[in-house]
Amino acid sequence: MIKYILMKEWCKMNLKAEKFKAYIAENNITNFKVEESINNNEEENARVTFHTYVKVFGQKLPAVIVMDESIYVILRVQVIPDIEYMKNKDEFIRCVNEMNINYKAVKYYLGADNALYLDMYIPNKNDDLDGELVMDLLNAITVHLEKEYPNWMKLLWN
């Protein structure tokens, strides 16, 4: 019985997440908090979420890197925590949609919590993760947000 449980847990190991943990340890990257979730449903895979932030104009925007055994790695940033109180919500939503048309690599959406999120999906095989690529893309998101963040703030405060 114990052997079966160990084998079951081993089968659910998230190889991408293990490689990324090794990458950040080898490179002394310490700004990640790791959250591991193992579902009891055998059809669903282990998920590991790496919590961090991206710094844009002195603001620390919450970010996560989500890895499971699917073909995707998700990079997600909470750009604006709440748009509920905005006066020009319709214009804001129009701009979000326009940006989704113009940008290929990143997509914006409004969450159920009224926050604006940016997502980037990285297609990736389960056992083949390039930690340097993940960090480079997180940096590319930061550069992108430094370009667009002032526009979001103008809409937010007008």
Side-chain angles (χ1 to χ4, degrees):
M1 183 67 166
I2 292 174
K3 190 173 190 178
Y4 170 75
I5 292 170
L6 291 175
M7 181 61 86
K8 188 175 174 182
E9 294 304 315
W10 179 81
C11 288
K12 287 188 171 194
M13 180 184 296
N14 185 320
L15 297 176
K16 286 186 282 197
E18 294 305 315
K19 284 191 174 188
F20 192 65
K21 285 180 196 175
Y23 174 82
I24 61 178
E26 289 168 10
N27 291 281
N28 242 2
I29 301 171
T30 59
N31 59 329
F32 285 97
K33 177 185 162 217
V34 180
E35 175 187 353
E36 299 190 37
S37 304
I38 296 178
N39 293 317
N40 291 328
N41 182 351
E42 289 186 33
E43 293 179 12
E44 293 187 30
N45 301 316
R47 180 180 60 223
V48 179
T49 305
F50 295 83
H51 296 267
T52 189
Y53 60 87
V54 295
K55 203 167 188 179
V56 179
F57 297 114
Q59 299 291 318
K60 288 183 178 181
L61 305 179
V64 294
I65 301 170
V66 181
M67 298 180 190
D68 59 19
E69 292 175 354
S70 73
I71 194 169
Y72 298 105
V73 171
I74 304 168
L75 280 65
R76 178 169 292 150
V77 179
Q78 185 186 60
V79 180
I80 300 173
D82 189 359
I83 67 152
E84 184 59 34
Y85 56 90
M86 289 181 69
K87 292 178 186 172
N88 54 351
K89 236 195 246 187
D90 291 339
E91 175 67 10
F92 186 83
I93 291 169
R94 188 196 62 74
C95 286
V96 168
N97 289 332
E98 187 175 303
M99 290 185 79
N100 284 334
I101 292 167
N102 292 326
Y103 289 110
K104 294 177 188 175
V106 298
K107 297 298 173 196
Y108 290 92
Y109 69 94
L110 295 173
D113 59 355
N114 285 314
L116 177 68
Y117 293 95
L118 174 152
D119 274 6
M120 177 183 281
Y121 287 81
I122 308 168
N124 200 291
K125 292 181 183 174
N126 184 41
D127 59 349
D128 186 28
L129 179 82
D130 182 348
E132 187 173 356
L133 174 65
V134 173
M135 294 305 295
D136 286 347
L137 291 172
L138 201 56
N139 288 331
I141 287 172
T142 302
V143 170
H144 166 79
L145 285 172
E146 285 175 349
K147 177 183 171 192
E148 294 299 336
Y149 199 70
N151 299 328
W152 293 124
M153 291 302 104
K154 281 182 202 171
L155 283 171
L156 186 65
W157 297 111
N158 283 337

